[in-house]
Amino acid sequence: MASSAAASAWRRSLRGALLRGSPWRGPAPALAGARQASRTVSAVAVPIKVPPPPRKGRLLTGAMIGLAIAGGAYVSTTDEATFCGWLFKSTELVNPLFALLDAEFAHRLAVSAAAHGFVPREKRPDPPVLGIEVWGRNFTNPIGLAAGFDKNAEAVEGLLGLGFGFVEVGSVTPQPQEGNPKPRIFRLKEHGAVVNRCGFNSEGIVVVAKRLGAQHGKRKMEETSSSSDVKQGGKAGPGILGVNLGKNKTSEDAGADYVQGVHSLSQYADYLVINVSSPNTPGLRALQGRKQLKELVKKVQDARDEMQWAEDGPPPLLVKIAPDLSKQDLEDIAAVALASKLDGLIISNTTISRPPPADAHPLAQEAGGLSGKPLFDLSTQVLRDMYIRTGGKVTLIGCGGVTSGEDAYKKIRSGATLVQLYTALAYGGPALIPRIKAELAECLERDGFKSVQEAVGADFKPLKA
Ligand SMILES: Cc1cc2nc3c(=O)[nH]c(=O)nc-3n(C[C@H](O)[C@H](O)[C@H](O)COP(=O)(O)O)c2cc1C
């Protein structure tokens, strides 16, 4: 504990020196104290001849000092925004190393890095054209992180700090469960795709509620102790937090599972998602049928509405659907969404199909859901279809295969108010986020849109005179 506190004070001191150009005060008191103590001891003890560090060590130390001086010189001649851009760009150097690791191990490492603040923090404001109000909440940009990356809400602050407009945690199941045996995540690198059959590995609602509760408390304290505008954004900070609910593999009452999720987690969520579309939990996708979905939505809405809510009201409720549905299924879901006054649909989860050219990849034969680039066309087609069927009356989140600002723009023009991604982040790393936002802003401005809202469903609107 003491050494980790000392190490973090040391990091803070160095970071402060680099960012503000203030003098670096050297090691933290605990470390400095330890050194002082060792000097005092050696003053009375027989002097020990310390051998010079080996040549390699000297070279490495020299290189690090050189880098620190160069970094310091660079920071002192540049502003915070440029430095921030440089930090994001520099993650591109580390990314290829992640690609060498086992996919799930690399993912664990990435979540851990984000949880411990070892990822860049976006300090530059989002372009105003990207701002959008949805469900009475202000999103500074419409690009979100999809469910499955931070299944247990370990790294919400770090992930929002990367510059996402919103982050969705989960899927969270009521009881903890291991998920399917490993390996269960496979990279189809040549296609920018992934096949996964995680099967809702989850630490369960109790652990996740504890984490979100701690964060919620911290945010409340910041709100009361600050006169600034921290009230902007959602319950988890300046960004918006979605909580995605799942069901346990062995549970026979799916409705009861989702209701448990609502009771434990909805007070921390800016929006809630019923996930009925993972291909890796037996029987789950049958809940997308008209009768089952109608009953499930009613049960969950009732559970949410019976709880006590402050003036900002209960969190909106969304359903996440699969891209592998028949026209009849889509018609049924649209009818339920409209009749139940659902707040939104997320379109889509991974696909059990193997769209070409990814079908030819040897790992395409692995069981599970496919995500990433090859999913883009299929999920966008379902999004377009659903936008038409719901007459633009239900908020849609477009998800599946987004790798660029142009892709996000296509989803928006196809009817999405917000956009999510996952697989592209696994391949592109943090540098992807500012790039996508800048490209999206460019697309909007290029085509004369003054806001994201103006561009939603633009493909279906008559051209402006
Ligand atoms: C490894 C992995 C785990 C996922 N886990 C979940 C999950 O727990 N719940 C969920 O709703 N979606 C989950 N997804 C689906 C994503 O949220 C997203 O819908 C899908 O990957 C398509 O987006 P993408 O092409 O940008 O990755 C997972 C995806 C991947 C790749």
Side-chain angles (χ1 to χ4, degrees), residues 107 145-149 151 168-172 184-186 192-201 244-246 273-280 320-321 346-351 369-376 379 398-403 420-426:
H107 171 248
L145 178 59
F149 188 88
K151 285 180 184 273
E168 189 173 309
V169 297
S171 298
V172 192
R184 53 194 179 184
I185 304 180
F186 307 89
V194 162
V195 168
N196 95 83
R197 53 167 176 270
C198 290
F200 284 169
N201 46 315
N244 179 311
L245 304 172
V273 182
I274 310 177
N275 177 14
V276 283
S277 47
S278 165
N280 304 309
K320 182 165 178 178
I321 66 170
I346 302 184
I347 306 169
S348 70
N349 213 313
T350 55
T351 176
L370 179 114
S371 59
K373 270 185 196 167
L375 174 61
F376 182 82
S379 58
C399 180
V402 172
T403 62
Q420 285 181 325
L421 58 87
Y422 178 161
T423 305
L425 181 72

Side-chain angles (χ1 to χ4, degrees), residues 210-230:
K210 246 189 214 161
R211 280 199 193 114
L212 291 179
Q215 206 175 333
H216 192 64
K218 193 173 138 210
R219 170 134 171 88
K220 282 270 162 233
M221 279 190 20
E222 280 167 5
E223 270 183 8
T224 40
S225 65
S226 160
S227 56
S228 77
D229 59 353
V230 284

Side-chain angles (χ1 to χ4, degrees), residues 31-364:
L31 289 179
R35 289 232 175 111
Q36 183 64 42
S38 79
R39 267 204 297 268
T40 319
V41 170
S42 63
V44 288
V46 181
I48 300 164
K49 206 171 173 202
V50 180
R55 195 175 138 72
K56 247 193 200 163
R58 284 203 308 273
L59 278 175
L60 197 64
T61 314
M64 281 171 70
I65 293 172
L67 259 178
I69 293 171
Y74 181 71
V75 172
S76 65
T77 56
T78 183
D79 57 286
E80 196 174 67
T82 316
F83 182 60
C84 188
W86 177 79
L87 269 183
F88 271 90
K89 196 96 188 94
S90 68
T91 62
E92 284 173 354
L93 299 171
V94 190
N95 239 19
L97 302 178
F98 274 77
L100 300 175
L101 305 171
D102 161 74
E104 187 155 358
F105 182 70
H107 171 248
R108 276 296 329 144
L109 214 59
V111 173
S112 187
H116 292 93
F118 294 126
V119 287
R121 198 168 180 80
E122 186 55 85
K123 306 254 173 151
R124 300 161 290 182
D126 285 329
V129 71
L130 296 186
I132 186 161
E133 192 192 315
V134 192
W135 310 303
R137 286 144 177 88
N138 287 322
F139 290 67
T140 60
N141 74 76
I143 308 296
L145 178 59
F149 188 88
D150 188 5
K151 285 180 184 273
N152 298 302
E154 294 169 81
V156 176
E157 208 180 327
L159 292 170
L160 282 171
L162 284 173
F164 283 111
F166 62 114
V167 165
E168 189 173 309
V169 297
S171 298
V172 192
T173 57
Q175 302 303 320
Q177 63 175 33
E178 294 274 327
N180 289 321
K182 295 175 189 170
R184 53 194 179 184
I185 304 180
F186 307 89
R187 291 192 192 101
L188 284 63
K189 189 169 162 278
E190 299 80 347
H191 303 291
V194 162
V195 168
N196 95 83
R197 53 167 176 270
C198 290
F200 284 169
N201 46 315
S202 172
E203 290 186 58
I205 50 176
V206 173
V207 171
V208 172
K210 246 189 214 161
R211 280 199 193 114
L212 291 179
Q215 206 175 333
H216 192 64
K218 193 173 138 210
R219 170 134 171 88
K220 282 270 162 233
M221 279 190 20
E222 280 167 5
E223 270 183 8
T224 40
S225 65
S226 160
S227 56
S228 77
D229 59 353
V230 284
K231 287 187 188 73
Q232 280 271 328
K235 292 181 181 170
I240 306 284
L241 174 69
V243 176
N244 179 311
L245 304 172
K247 75 172 267 290
N248 280 113
K249 185 177 178 183
T250 53
S251 159
E252 280 174 14
D253 186 349
D257 274 23
Y258 291 105
V259 165
Q260 274 195 64
V262 169
H263 286 155
S264 306
L265 300 173
S266 55
Q267 64 267 41
Y268 311 120
D270 292 308
Y271 71 88
L272 283 172
V273 182
I274 310 177
N275 177 14
V276 283
S277 47
S278 165
N280 304 309
T281 296
L284 188 81
R285 289 178 304 151
L287 297 170
Q288 294 171 113
R290 192 178 196 129
K291 185 168 171 288
Q292 295 93 320
L293 190 63
K294 193 170 163 216
E295 283 172 14
L296 180 62
V297 168
K298 167 117 182 52
K299 215 170 182 176
V300 173
Q301 279 173 334
D302 287 350
R304 177 198 61 174
D305 295 342
E306 279 159 13
M307 293 170 71
Q308 299 244 312
W309 294 105
E311 72 214 31
D312 53 349
L317 184 70
L318 288 78
V319 170
K320 182 165 178 178
I321 66 170
D324 308 310
L325 298 161
S326 68
K327 295 282 173 212
Q328 185 58 53
D329 292 334
L330 293 175
E331 187 53 42
D332 289 346
I333 292 170
V336 173
L338 288 168
S340 316
K341 298 199 167 29
L342 207 58
D343 298 293
L345 289 167
I346 302 184
I347 306 169
S348 70
N349 213 313
T350 55
T351 176
I352 52 167
S353 71
R354 297 292 183 262
D359 58 336
H361 195 286
L363 292 173

